[in-house]
Amino acid sequence: MKKLLFIALSFFVVSMVSAQTEEELKAQIAPKKDSIAAIQSRVNALQKQLDALPGWKIGAFGTIGGSISQFNNWFAQGIPNNSSGNIGFTVNTFANLQEKKFFWRNAANVNLSWVKLDDKDDPTDDDSFRQATDVFNISSLYGRKLSEKFAISGLVEYRTTILSNFNDPGYLDLGVGATWTPISDLVVVMHPLNYNFVFSNEDTIFESSMGAKILADYTKQIGAVSFKSNLSLFQSYKSNDLSNWTWTNSFSYKLWKMIGVGFDFGLRNNKQETLNYIVNNAPTPNPDATFDTIDNELQTYWTLGLSYKF
C-alpha cells in the first residue's frame, strides 16, 4: 500500500512539475514572439524606405513545374499502355528606375509549357512533346511626375506567342495618358489615347483600332510570400469585338534560400482569337462563323511547381 501511495504521489509531483515547466516555457515564448513581430515591423519599414530610394531596382522570379508517368495494362482507363509527361515554367522579370522627377518601369512575362501522351498501342500517334501554354509579354512605361502619386505617362506593350505563330497574332499598344501610384506596390495606368496594332496573316478577323488602355500591376512581398498580379485591358472605340484583356497572377512561398513553391494562373478574353480558332484551327473548322455567332469563351491556364527568385 505504501508503495502504491509513493508511486501515485511521485506521478502527481512529476505531472505538476511538467505542467509548471510547460506554462513557464509558454510564458517565455510570448514576449519573444512580440519581439520578433516588432523586429519584422522595423525591417519592413526599412525595406519600404529602401524601395523608395532613387535608382534602378532589378529582379526576377518564376515557377517550374513538371511530371512524368507510365502505365502498363492499366485497363481501367481508355489508354491502358502509355507514357506521359508535362513540363512548364514561368519567368517574371523587372527593371525599374525611380528618380525624383520621373520613373521608367520595364517588365517581361514568359509562360511556356509542353505536354506529351504516347499511346504504346498506337504506333501512328504523336509521341513528342507538344506546346500547351505560350505567353510572351513585355512592357515599358515612362512617367513624368506631377506629384508623388500622379504622372503624365507613355506606355509601350507587346504581346504574342513565341513557340509557334510568332507575331500571328501579335499586339502592340502605344499610348499616352496618366499613371496613378496610390501606394509603392501598385501602379495603375489610364491611357485614353492608345492605338492597338494587331499583326496577323488573317486580316479578315484581326483588326487594329483606337481605344483606351488600362493597366494595373501589384507586386508585393510579405515575409516568405511573394506575389504579382497584372491586368492589361484594351477597350476599342470602334467595336467591342476588338477589345481584349489579360489578367496574370504569380504566387510563391520561400522554403529554403531562393527555392520555394509557386503557383501561376492567368485569365484572358479576346474575341478575335476565339473567332480565328473556330474558323481556322478548331477540330471541325467553321468558315462561316462570325463575331455575332460565336460564344466568347474565357481562356485560362495555371502552373504549380517549384519557384525560384533572384
Side-chain angles (χ1 to χ4, degrees):
M1 186 67 179
K2 290 181 178 180
K3 290 183 178 179
L4 290 175
L5 290 174
F6 178 75
I7 292 172
L9 180 61
S10 299
F11 180 77
F12 177 75
V13 171
V14 169
S15 299
M16 290 294 294
V17 171
S18 299
Q20 183 179 6
T21 302
E22 182 180 356
E23 293 300 323
E24 290 175 351
L25 290 174
K26 287 182 178 180
Q28 294 178 35
I29 289 175
K32 288 180 171 58
K33 284 185 176 181
D34 293 338
S35 299
I36 292 172
I39 292 171
Q40 186 62 53
S41 177
R42 292 196 295 269
V43 170
N44 292 339
L46 291 172
Q47 185 63 50
K48 187 175 181 180
Q49 295 178 33
L50 182 63
D51 293 339
L53 290 176
W56 284 98
K57 301 293 188 301
I58 300 174
F61 67 97
T63 302
I64 300 175
S67 69
I68 57 174
S69 63
Q70 181 168 320
F71 291 86
N72 295 305
N73 301 323
W74 199 265
F75 298 116
Q77 61 188 15
I79 305 177
N81 300 291
N82 76 78
S83 62
S84 64
N86 70 78
I87 184 171
F89 68 90
T90 64
V91 179
N92 296 281
T93 64
F94 63 89
N96 300 330
L97 175 62
Q98 186 72 244
E99 295 292 345
K100 184 176 181 180
K101 294 184 178 181
F102 70 92
F103 60 80
W104 185 22
R105 303 176 63 90
N106 304 277
N109 169 258
V110 180
N111 187 313
L112 306 175
S113 68
W114 298 261
V115 298
K116 70 170 292 184
L117 175 61
D118 179 16
D119 183 352
K120 297 185 179 301
D121 297 323
D122 182 4
T124 63
D125 73 332
D126 185 0
D127 60 355
S128 62
F129 276 92
R130 293 172 290 173
Q131 69 178 64
T133 306
D134 192 354
V135 178
F136 178 77
N137 185 306
I138 57 174
S139 64
S140 183
L141 173 68
Y142 177 84
R144 199 74 182 176
K145 295 181 181 179
L146 300 177
S147 67
E148 285 300 315
K149 295 184 177 182
F150 284 95
I152 300 298
S153 57
L155 173 71
V156 179
E157 184 185 43
Y158 178 67
R159 307 181 307 281
T160 186
T161 56
I162 56 178
L163 295 179
S164 66
N165 301 323
F166 177 72
N167 205 41
D168 184 21
Y171 305 90
L172 176 64
D173 280 295
L174 297 175
V176 295
T179 294
W180 177 44
T181 52
I183 56 177
S184 59
D185 305 307
L186 176 62
V187 177
V188 180
V189 178
M190 300 162 287
H191 286 178
L193 297 176
N194 183 92
Y195 199 84
N196 180 237
F197 294 92
V198 184
F199 310 101
S200 175
N201 294 327
E202 184 57 85
D203 55 6
T204 61
I205 296 176
F206 292 96
E207 183 179 351
S208 304
S209 64
M210 191 76 179
K213 181 73 175 182
I214 296 177
L215 187 147
D217 186 274
Y218 185 71
T219 305
K220 184 72 174 180
Q221 179 173 340
I222 304 175
V225 179
S226 299
F227 55 91
K228 177 183 178 67
S229 183
N230 182 278
L231 172 66
S232 178
L233 182 150
F234 171 73
Q235 178 63 51
S236 174
Y237 294 146
K238 184 175 183 179
S239 170
N240 194 52
D241 295 333
L242 306 180
S243 302
N244 62 77
W245 59 265
T246 302
W247 183 32
T248 58
N249 301 269
S250 298
F251 301 86
S252 68
Y253 180 81
K254 184 173 69 175
L255 298 174
W256 178 72
K257 293 186 177 181
M258 298 299 182
I259 305 300
V261 177
F263 177 67
D264 294 80
F265 75 91
L267 306 176
R268 184 175 177 84
N269 186 290
N270 191 311
K271 203 167 187 178
Q272 293 178 94
E273 292 179 351
T274 303
L275 178 59
N276 181 61
Y277 175 78
I278 293 174
V279 171
N280 298 305
N281 302 317
T284 305
N286 179 9
D288 297 323
T290 65
F291 284 117
D292 297 327
T293 62
I294 65 170
D295 292 326
N296 191 16
E297 303 266 349
L298 181 66
Q299 305 173 41
T300 67
Y301 74 80
W302 62 269
T303 302
L304 176 66
L306 294 176
S307 66
Y308 58 91
K309 183 179 181 181
F310 299 101

